[in-house]
Structure formats: C-alpha cells, structure tokens
Amino acid sequence: MIKHILLGTFCLAQFSFAYAKEVPNPRTDISVTSSALQQVPKTVIIKTKKFKIRIDKQPNGKYLYQSWNANAKITAKPSMIISDGELVPDGSGGNYYIVFNNEGHSYQVWRNYLTDSPKKAPYTLTVNDANDNEIVRQDGYVVKN
C-alpha cells in the first residue's frame, strides 16, 4: 500500500514538472532590448572640427584609433594610429567611452546617448596630457557607422 502511495506521488510530481510553463521576466526582457539598441559598433567614423577619427573593434576585443586632418580623405595614410583601446561603460544608460594611451597622452572618445540637451553631439573627443590637463575637447558627428 505504501508503495502505491509513493508511486502515485512520484508520478504526480513528474507530470507537474512536465506541464510547468516558464513565465518570462519582463524586467530581463527590457534590459536586453535596451542594451541591444545601444551596442558599440564594430567600426565608426567620426568627424570633429579638426579631425576625422575611425575606431575599429579588433579581434582581440581591443579598439584601434586612427585619425586624419578633417579635410583629408579616409583612404589616405592616417596621421595617428593608436592600438589597444579599452571600452569603459559610463553609467547604466548606455553611455561609454573608449580610452587610448599614446606617449603620455590620453585620448577618450565619448559616446553620448543620454544628455541634457537635444543639440548635444553624439560623440566627444577629449585629449588629456600627462598631468591630466585637458588640451582638446571637440564634439563629433558620425560620418559613417
């Protein structure tokens, strides 16, 4: 008799698991959607007042920075190439910057998803010297994404 009760309980539990339905968590779905909309592109070309900048994601996960004079063609030899750039997330809204180091200078290309002004440029280039003094700050717009 005890065997029949245990067998019935076991079968009932098995059927309950077989017909269980997983309910998706809406909070998880929302975060996946927002992060999918704000992914870092593999290649972006930005134009500032004085420069054209191309940033490429490398196979090793690092970023490559190439820059030209603003009037130069992108097919010409770059005036500066910096490798091993690092992506740094900035908050939870999707903003980030990519930092490159070259001869004591820090080059940062900021992506501005969230801003106080609708007129704010989508990218900003900042360059700091070895003493962390800002020597360049220029807004940039996407030429090719």
Side-chain angles (χ1 to χ4, degrees):
M1 173 90 167
I2 293 178
K3 288 182 185 178
H4 293 290
I5 293 173
L6 289 175
L7 181 61
T9 305
F10 178 74
C11 289
L12 182 61
Q14 291 300 318
F15 289 126
S16 296
F17 286 127
Y19 290 105
K21 180 179 177 184
E22 185 177 337
V23 178
N25 184 349
R27 293 183 69 196
T28 304
D29 293 343
I30 290 170
S31 65
V32 170
T33 304
S34 66
S35 67
L37 293 174
Q38 299 177 358
Q39 290 183 352
V40 180
K42 289 185 179 184
T43 298
V44 66
I45 299 173
I46 305 159
K47 185 174 182 181
T48 69
K49 185 176 181 180
K50 295 186 178 184
F51 305 105
K52 282 184 188 167
I53 302 164
R54 177 180 173 146
I55 298 176
D56 295 298
K57 186 171 184 178
Q58 302 297 292
N60 66 359
K62 303 282 185 168
Y63 289 85
L64 179 71
Y65 175 100
Q66 301 175 74
S67 69
W68 296 262
N69 184 316
N71 298 326
K73 294 190 180 215
I74 209 99
T75 55
K77 182 179 178 183
S79 58
M80 181 182 297
I81 299 174
I82 310 171
S83 59
D84 295 331
E86 295 280 339
L87 178 79
V88 180
D90 185 40
S92 61
N95 288 353
Y96 61 85
Y97 64 95
I98 303 172
V99 63
F100 301 89
N101 295 306
N102 185 35
E103 297 178 4
H105 289 77
S106 172
Y107 294 76
Q108 297 176 353
V109 179
W110 291 79
R111 176 62 171 112
N112 309 308
Y113 279 112
L114 301 176
T115 113
D116 295 336
S117 168
K119 295 181 181 181
K120 176 73 175 160
Y123 287 90
T124 303
L125 167 68
T126 62
V127 180
N128 295 335
D129 64 11
N131 297 324
D132 206 29
N133 296 319
E134 186 174 273
I135 55 177
V136 174
R137 176 178 286 274
Q138 295 181 5
D139 287 338
Y141 296 90
V142 175
V143 176
K144 178 184 174 189
N145 201 3

